Amino acid sequence: MTESVRKEIEELRREIERHNRLYYVEARPEISDLEFDKLLKRLEKLEAEHPEYDSPDSPSHKVGGEPIEGFQTVEHILPMLSIDNVYNTYAVREFDVRVRKYLQRDEPLDYTVEYKIDGVALSATYENGHFARAVTRGDGRRGDDITHNARTIGGIPLRLQTDSPPAVLEIRGEAFIANSDFARLRAEQKGRGETPFANPRNATAGALKLLDPKESARRRVRFLAHGTGYTEGIWFETHVDFLRTLRELGVPATPDVEAFRGIDAALEHGQQLIENLHALDFEVDGLVIKANSFDLRDELGATSKSPRWLIAYKWEKYEAVTQIEDITIQVGKTGTLTPVAHLKPVEIAGTTVSRASLHNRDELERLGVRIGDQVVVEKAGKIIPHVVRVQEDERTGKEQEFEFPERCPECGGDVVQDEGGVYVRCINPNCPAQLRESLRFFASRQAMDIEGLGIKRIEQLIGAGFLTSFADVYRLKDKQEELLELERLGEKSLENLLAGIEESRSRPMWRLLTALNIRHVGASNAQVLADRFGTLDEIAKQSEEALAEVHEIGPVIAKSVYEFFQADVGKGIIDELREAGLNFGTPVERQEDGPKPLEGKTIVVTGSLTKFTRDEVKEFIHRLGGKASSSVSKKTDYLVAGEKAGSKLDKAKELGVTVISEQDLFEMADGAPPVDEAGESEA
């Protein structure tokens, strides 16, 4: 009997830890909060009845413990320094110049870009895989020991998910309360007759300083890691490697972090992160740009105040509370159904805001928005406004839930949700809304830049039957007499419109590729494809695999491009535009390909190189027929080890991957066989 109880306890612990990981690390919960609570209560009951099977690492101890009398001050082994702040892209580029000058390097560096969470800085230390203590940042040298409350924080597991933990791993990150939890917390406070908290950050800071951990747990504080402090028995080559390792250990990290070569690419990705702020359920007050390489961080070091290898690109947060008067659906150029909140006009950062996108059905459900709700609307850095959260404590009961339509509101056609995605789309190819929005994008400045073909004119021409496709734009010159019969289209206006259309015929091919409205293909990706293949026809010939190998394209964009050019609809569009005489590009002159000694081989490069930059070595590998990969696995054929090769070299040796030098790789162009680091030819 006791053996069966022990097994049930162990199984419950594994199951609860799995659900904690799914919820906090992978953001894809499988069960409801109620079902999770039932599992936890069953575990607590069994442990209480059989204390001999209790363990300090049990997930039942995430919320528990006795109140303490006060806080102890603890000295950080490595100081938790502050970050220098800048407020414009010019200052970010100055940071890059400063870093490269300090390192005496002319070539671009690899930077990571991540959200700067507006929470409370926290350090969590694990000893031999077990959670040991948590300390606030304090003055950077010394902080308060809040271990009793940190045990209740979602995202700080009581033990790391590994059988070979490091001796010491100090993880630094941000404690915060999610906007959705904060809305519920305010509503509960108002229900008890208390004054609601002003903002999530203050509520988080207060939760960490409560003497009773059960009270702290009620605020549902979470944790996202973004850095490391003191460690023993573990080493990381790059920041991206570090974050990947954390997730494998069961610790959630700041989302959407990627590495980019050069500050311009980093800033471009930063702009994408800013545009996606609406999808986050936590407060953000900037971006953090970091040198990806840990070796370079060591070289750069720190001033007495802050590290030299990172910078915070911050913005002012402008917020206001207003009411949602209505919610409507807008159908976009790819058929996407986008809910739009119509707001009671409110001034934010000097402009009047009356509309805000709610983006998609999932976002609408996450926010829990109802018509009539009071909501917090934010313009971070004066960008497009978005709804941050609902003021649930302000609800009167008169608010109305919005029902997302089951059919397209424009044409009545069927709608489907993207497989594995969040967007709901109208699949009727003849939907008038899709035609209207597609033509608007086709004529926009970022695409074909057709002067005089704005949305009002497009709607007029569609309504009169002149526009049913992109190619129809270039057929308007043959219908001038009929066009002059339209209202508000005189001879001069028509002359200007036709001149703008004629001028667009010679636009660069990448603009035409952008204008085709292929999913996931924006102006920057279109330019990459144009530079690589030269002509639209050459792009259309490529396999999905060949497109995916192009730097900055990848499998998602490649699949979308390939499917467009293989589909009958796509082929028809291209044939019509070819007949219209648009610029399809110029063939790229290339040298003979030569031998392919790395045909079918997967190569990983690690450490500092002397003959190549990172982009050059990838191109070199590609030219020899190989595939450049970023991670070592059993499928890796060669690891090119430069100076200061780190964990990837260790992993390659562990897996038996052939390790070669940069010189070996260079000589492969002449067909020389690779030589492993012991000097023995693979042949």
Side-chain angles (χ1 to χ4, degrees):
M1 181 64 182
T2 56
E3 179 62 17
S4 65
V5 169
R6 183 186 65 80
K7 287 182 178 180
E8 184 180 358
I9 287 174
E10 289 178 352
E11 179 59 33
L12 281 168
R13 287 172 182 167
R14 283 193 294 269
E15 186 70 1
I16 291 168
E17 286 174 346
R18 189 177 77 86
H19 286 301
N20 272 330
R21 181 187 179 93
L22 287 170
Y23 188 88
Y24 292 108
V25 182
E26 300 179 23
R28 51 182 190 92
E30 290 181 351
I31 61 176
S32 67
D33 289 351
L34 180 60
E35 291 172 306
F36 181 86
D37 288 341
K38 286 180 180 178
L39 291 175
L40 194 59
K41 288 185 184 305
R42 173 61 179 167
L43 176 61
E44 289 171 346
K45 181 176 183 295
L46 289 175
E47 288 177 340
E49 293 173 350
H50 301 271
E52 66 273 19
Y53 296 137
D54 200 0
S55 167
D57 292 335
S58 173
S60 63
H61 296 307
K62 284 289 289 178
V63 180
E66 296 302 316
I68 64 170
E69 294 182 2
F71 296 94
Q72 290 187 336
T73 301
V74 177
E75 187 167 348
H76 298 293
I77 298 177
L78 295 177
M80 290 184 71
L81 301 178
S82 60
I83 306 176
D84 280 341
N85 298 326
V86 297
Y87 292 89
N88 56 64
T89 56
Y90 176 77
V92 174
R93 289 191 170 89
E94 280 190 325
F95 156 76
D96 170 58
V97 171
R98 215 163 44 242
V99 167
R100 288 188 292 114
K101 183 178 180 181
Y102 190 93
L103 294 171
Q104 297 183 340
R105 297 191 179 201
D106 293 327
E107 70 271 18
L109 301 180
D110 286 348
Y111 291 107
T112 59
V113 189
E114 61 193 79
Y115 290 115
K116 186 177 185 298
I117 301 169
D118 189 11
V120 178
L122 200 62
S123 159
T125 298
Y126 289 83
E127 295 176 354
N128 297 312
H130 300 277
F131 175 60
R133 63 189 162 278
V135 183
T136 61
R137 193 178 83 85
D139 63 4
R141 306 286 171 177
R142 295 163 65 83
D144 290 330
D145 186 330
I146 56 154
T147 304
H148 67 301
N149 281 334
R151 295 177 70 89
T152 74
I153 293 177
I156 296 184
L158 298 183
R159 64 183 180 88
L160 300 177
Q161 295 179 11
T162 177
D163 293 330
S164 53
V168 180
L169 175 59
E170 181 190 348
I171 301 168
R172 293 177 176 179
E174 209 76 10
F176 66 97
I177 295 176
N179 282 316
S180 53
D181 289 332
F182 184 68
R184 287 192 288 271
L185 181 60
R186 281 177 54 100
E188 290 169 2
Q189 287 180 295
K190 188 168 183 178
R192 294 193 296 265
E194 301 170 0
T195 302
F197 292 116
N199 56 65
R201 191 185 188 284
N202 287 354
T204 303
L208 298 182
K209 289 300 183 72
L210 290 171
L211 299 179
D212 187 345
K214 290 186 176 65
E215 288 298 318
S216 178
R218 291 192 179 97
R219 299 195 191 177
R220 302 185 70 173
V221 179
R222 307 187 192 197
F223 178 80
L224 285 175
H226 57 58
T228 180
Y230 179 76
T231 63
E232 290 180 17
I234 194 168
W235 184 87
F236 306 100
E237 186 174 359
T238 66
H239 186 55
V240 171
D241 289 338
F242 164 69
L243 296 180
R244 186 184 302 115
T245 300
L246 283 191
R247 293 187 181 97
E248 291 170 355
L249 295 173
V251 180
T254 308
D256 304 323
V257 181
E258 296 181 49
F260 298 88
R261 172 53 59 96
I263 200 66
D264 289 336
L267 283 170
E268 184 177 343
H269 180 68
Q271 185 58 41
Q272 293 178 19
L273 291 181
I274 292 172
E275 291 172 3
N276 289 334
L277 283 174
H278 64 85
L280 303 178
D281 195 20
F282 51 81
E283 300 276 299
V284 168
D285 62 354
L287 302 174
V288 181
I289 299 172
K290 304 175 180 178
N292 189 34
S293 166
F294 276 41
D295 287 341
L296 290 185
R297 293 183 182 186
D298 289 342
E299 278 190 59
L300 288 162
T303 66
S304 59
K305 179 187 173 187
S306 59
R308 293 190 181 92
W309 44 265
L310 83 171
I311 199 80
Y313 172 27
K314 297 188 69 173
W315 51 70
E316 295 294 334
K317 291 174 65 175
Y318 303 92
E319 289 186 347
V321 176
T322 188
Q323 186 177 39
I324 292 184
E325 297 182 327
D326 197 7
I327 298 174
T328 59
I329 295 292
Q330 178 178 300
V331 182
K333 60 184 185 295
T334 61
T336 305
L337 273 60
T338 302
V340 177
H342 296 261
L343 308 170
K344 184 175 182 180
V346 62
E347 186 172 306
I348 307 177
T351 60
T352 300
V353 176
S354 59
R355 285 162 55 99
S357 173
L358 296 171
H359 302 283
N360 54 66
R361 182 168 60 189
D362 287 4
E363 177 82 352
L364 192 68
E365 292 175 356
R366 180 183 70 79
L367 287 167
V369 172
R370 301 174 187 173
I371 297 170
D373 266 337
Q374 296 289 322
V375 294
V376 176
V377 180
E378 177 184 275
K379 288 183 72 176
K382 298 187 179 181
I383 63 168
I384 298 171
H386 66 277
V387 175
V388 176
R389 62 179 176 273
V390 175
Q391 298 286 76
E392 292 185 18
D393 56 298
E394 298 290 335
R395 280 182 172 160
T396 63
K398 296 180 180 179
E399 295 79 12
Q400 301 173 5
E401 291 195 18
F402 176 77
E403 292 188 13
F404 202 91
E406 296 183 359
R407 305 192 71 81
C408 175
E410 291 271 357
C411 70
D414 292 334
V415 297
V416 298
Q417 184 160 349
D418 290 348
E419 186 177 348
V422 296
Y423 294 105
V424 176
R425 300 178 191 277
C426 169
I427 57 175
N428 173 17
N430 299 313
C431 176
Q434 291 183 58
L435 175 63
R436 179 185 69 236
E437 296 303 320
S438 294
L439 284 166
R440 171 157 67 172
F441 181 72
F442 185 88
S444 67
R445 288 187 177 181
Q446 65 200 97
M448 298 303 285
D449 193 14
I450 301 176
E451 188 73 27
L453 194 58
I455 188 60
K456 294 295 184 184
R457 186 67 70 203
I458 288 171
E459 288 174 341
Q460 182 185 34
L461 294 172
I462 289 175
F466 287 103
L467 292 182
T468 61
S469 68
F470 295 150
D472 278 349
V473 171
Y474 299 94
R475 298 182 181 120
L476 292 176
K477 68 174 185 176
D478 301 324
K479 302 178 180 180
Q480 295 186 47
E481 290 186 9
E482 298 99 307
L483 288 167
L484 287 172
E485 294 178 7
L486 296 175
E487 293 183 9
R488 304 182 307 281
L489 187 60
E491 289 188 11
K492 186 62 177 176
S493 296
L494 179 58
E495 181 183 330
N496 292 337
L497 173 61
L498 295 178
I501 292 171
E502 190 62 30
E503 186 179 344
S504 75
R505 291 178 192 270
S506 59
R507 297 275 186 254
M509 184 272 280
W510 68 264
R511 281 188 171 275
L512 176 57
L513 182 58
T514 304
L516 291 175
N517 191 29
I518 301 172
R519 283 185 64 192
H520 308 302
V521 178
S524 60
N525 293 324
Q527 290 179 64
V528 168
L529 289 168
D531 290 343
R532 176 70 178 83
F533 298 109
T535 69
L536 211 59
D537 292 326
E538 192 63 26
I539 294 172
K541 291 179 186 176
Q542 303 305 310
S543 67
E544 188 175 332
E545 292 74 20
L547 292 166
E549 287 182 359
V550 177
H551 183 56
E552 297 183 30
I553 297 303
V556 174
I557 298 172
K559 185 175 189 292
S560 189
V561 172
Y562 176 79
E563 289 180 348
F564 174 85
F565 283 105
Q566 296 304 308
D568 289 339
V569 173
K571 290 176 180 177
I573 291 172
I574 295 302
D575 288 343
E576 284 192 317
L577 293 176
R578 188 196 315 281
E579 187 179 331
L582 273 66
N583 177 14
F584 271 42
T586 304
V588 175
E589 294 184 10
R590 302 187 188 282
Q591 297 178 344
E592 291 297 318
D593 287 339
K596 302 284 188 182
L598 293 179
E599 189 76 51
K601 303 293 186 182
T602 299
I603 319 293
V604 176
V605 180
T606 188
S608 301
L609 305 180
T610 58
K611 300 179 185 298
F612 301 98
T613 66
R614 288 287 174 177
D615 287 339
E616 288 170 347
V617 77
K618 288 179 182 177
E619 180 60 31
F620 184 78
I621 291 168
H622 178 76
R623 196 166 74 241
L624 297 186
K627 178 184 177 182
S629 177
S630 60
S631 58
V632 177
S633 70
K634 291 180 180 179
K635 295 181 179 179
T636 304
D637 293 289
Y638 302 120
L639 177 81
V640 181
E643 292 182 12
K644 297 182 180 178
S647 57
K648 289 182 183 178
L649 177 58
D650 295 335
K651 189 169 184 179
K653 290 178 177 178
E654 180 184 329
L655 295 174
V657 174
T658 300
V659 179
I660 62 175
S661 69
E662 184 182 3
Q663 181 63 30
D664 291 331
L665 179 67
F666 188 71
E667 291 173 356
M668 283 185 186
D670 297 323
V675 177
D676 67 19
E677 63 177 1
E680 298 176 356
S681 170
E682 188 191 44

